[in-house]
Amino acid sequence: MCKVDLVDNFLCSLRMFGVNKYLIFATDSVALAMLRERGYHAWDGETTVGKGLDKSDSNFRTNSWKQLTRAKMKVAKQVLQSGHHMFFSDVDVVALENFLPSLVSESQKSPQWLLDWDGKRTGKKEANTGFYFMRAEKGSIDLLTKATLQQKKMPAKDDQQLINAVMTSGQRNYMPRPKFANGCYLRNVGKSTDLVKKGVAAVHVNCAVSKLMKHKLMCNMGLWFCANVPEGGNPRPTFGGRCKPGYGMERFRGYNSSASLTAVGKVGEGLVERS
């Protein structure tokens, strides 16, 4: 669990807009202890992953990393089978408003998923499993089951590759751009672009692989909400200006700050409002 500061930043941005119900999937006992020490709602997911992991196992595209991503499908299936709709997010996401009501509304257009996506707007799109919303319906569960079975045929693939392999065109309901932006969008906007004025509700910073590069990009675009400056937060001039503590918070202070959380499905056991 080497990205706990990204967790801090994501949850900080959510709290800005009144979103306080969440559950963090902890991949190992060290991560679980760190998260609970912070007062976060964390679930022990070590048995779901299948083996003890450490921070080196989060290295992109390694076999352990792929095992970790495949465990996400097991977690998602467990949540849906319990009768809860589910919004899933990687930790390199920043909220610029309470986007849950919009996700609930958009998800009604498809019985399966509402997905982030990679690719060109007018070209072929590929589902991105780092940011999605699923409704607790049979079609969603069946799709996850099919993707899990596909693993026997494609043992070296990650969850995103497995899901893209089994999804039909009719099951692909993509999040609208620029409301839900990711790296594909960020690469085509200027450094000083005001994302709020562009109508962006959330940003998935997946255009950078390393945590250091994610930090620099977030700082450069005013997406760091925590009071503490992250590692690499004072980048070289090529990455723009200094990352000031609380810059994101100051930038968006008062913008939709009174938004209240809209309940999604059932409220999970043990999840309570936090100020």
Side-chain angles (χ1 to χ4, degrees):
M1 182 68 187
C2 61
K3 297 179 174 61
V4 70
D5 52 354
L6 293 178
V7 176
D8 291 338
N9 191 58
F10 179 40
L11 294 181
C12 184
S13 70
L14 288 177
R15 287 195 299 270
M16 281 279 293
F17 308 112
V19 180
N20 298 300
K21 289 188 174 74
Y22 57 84
L23 185 62
I24 303 174
F25 174 68
T27 58
D28 58 82
S29 57
V30 175
L32 183 66
M34 292 175 66
L35 293 167
R36 287 181 173 172
E37 184 179 0
R38 282 167 154 76
Y40 296 156
H41 308 301
W43 174 53
D44 186 354
E46 193 165 356
T47 55
T48 303
V49 174
K51 80 178 189 74
L53 298 176
D54 58 37
K55 65 181 182 180
S56 65
D57 291 313
S58 64
N59 292 335
F60 190 60
R61 294 299 185 191
T62 62
N63 288 333
S64 293
W65 177 87
K66 292 177 182 178
Q67 179 185 346
L68 178 60
T69 67
R70 292 193 293 266
K72 288 158 48 178
M73 297 192 295
K74 297 179 184 178
V75 175
K77 188 173 179 178
Q78 289 176 17
V79 173
L80 296 176
Q81 287 177 328
S82 71
H84 296 74
H85 301 326
M86 184 187 71
F87 161 62
F88 175 88
S89 173
D90 284 351
V91 297
D92 57 345
V93 171
V94 182
L96 304 182
E97 65 177 59
N98 179 3
F99 51 76
L100 288 178
S102 177
L103 284 180
V104 173
S105 176
E106 287 286 336
S107 71
Q108 294 174 353
K109 299 176 182 178
S110 170
Q112 277 84 34
W113 304 49
L114 179 62
L115 293 146
D116 187 14
W117 53 275
D118 297 323
K120 296 181 179 180
R121 182 176 302 189
T122 57
K124 183 178 179 180
K125 298 182 179 68
E126 179 180 84
N128 184 302
T129 57
F131 190 78
Y132 61 81
F133 184 89
M134 296 187 73
R135 302 184 68 85
E137 299 180 6
K138 184 178 182 299
S140 304
I141 297 171
D142 289 347
L143 189 59
L144 285 170
T145 300
K146 189 174 181 180
T148 301
L149 293 173
Q150 186 72 13
Q151 184 180 335
K152 297 180 180 179
K153 299 179 182 179
M154 306 168 66
K157 302 300 183 180
D158 59 46
D159 70 317
Q160 183 166 303
Q161 293 168 319
L162 293 171
I163 287 169
N164 275 288
V166 301
M167 289 184 76
T168 64
S169 58
Q171 294 171 324
R172 296 173 185 269
N173 182 26
Y174 293 117
M175 294 180 178
R177 294 277 193 271
K179 188 174 183 66
F180 297 97
N182 69 6
C184 295
Y185 178 80
L186 293 180
R187 279 195 291 266
N188 295 309
V189 299
K191 293 180 181 178
S192 61
T193 297
D194 190 329
L195 297 177
V196 170
K197 291 182 179 179
K198 291 285 186 180
V200 177
V203 182
H204 182 193
V205 189
N206 66 333
C207 49
V209 175
S210 73
K211 187 174 72 164
L212 180 62
M213 293 302 295
K214 290 179 188 294
H215 282 161
K216 289 180 176 179
L217 182 59
M218 287 176 170
C219 285
N220 193 44
M221 301 198 74
L223 297 174
W224 196 259
F225 282 71
C226 291
N228 296 325
V229 175
E231 177 187 354
N234 294 325
R236 297 187 300 275
T238 53
F239 290 95
R242 293 172 61 85
C243 184
K244 301 176 182 178
Y247 173 60
M249 186 179 295
E250 291 297 327
R251 183 178 185 184
F252 297 103
R253 187 178 299 281
Y255 175 78
N256 201 23
S257 59
S258 61
S260 59
L261 174 67
T262 298
V264 181
K266 300 177 185 176
V267 177
E269 291 184 2
L271 300 193
V272 297
E273 289 287 355
R274 286 171 48 87
S275 58

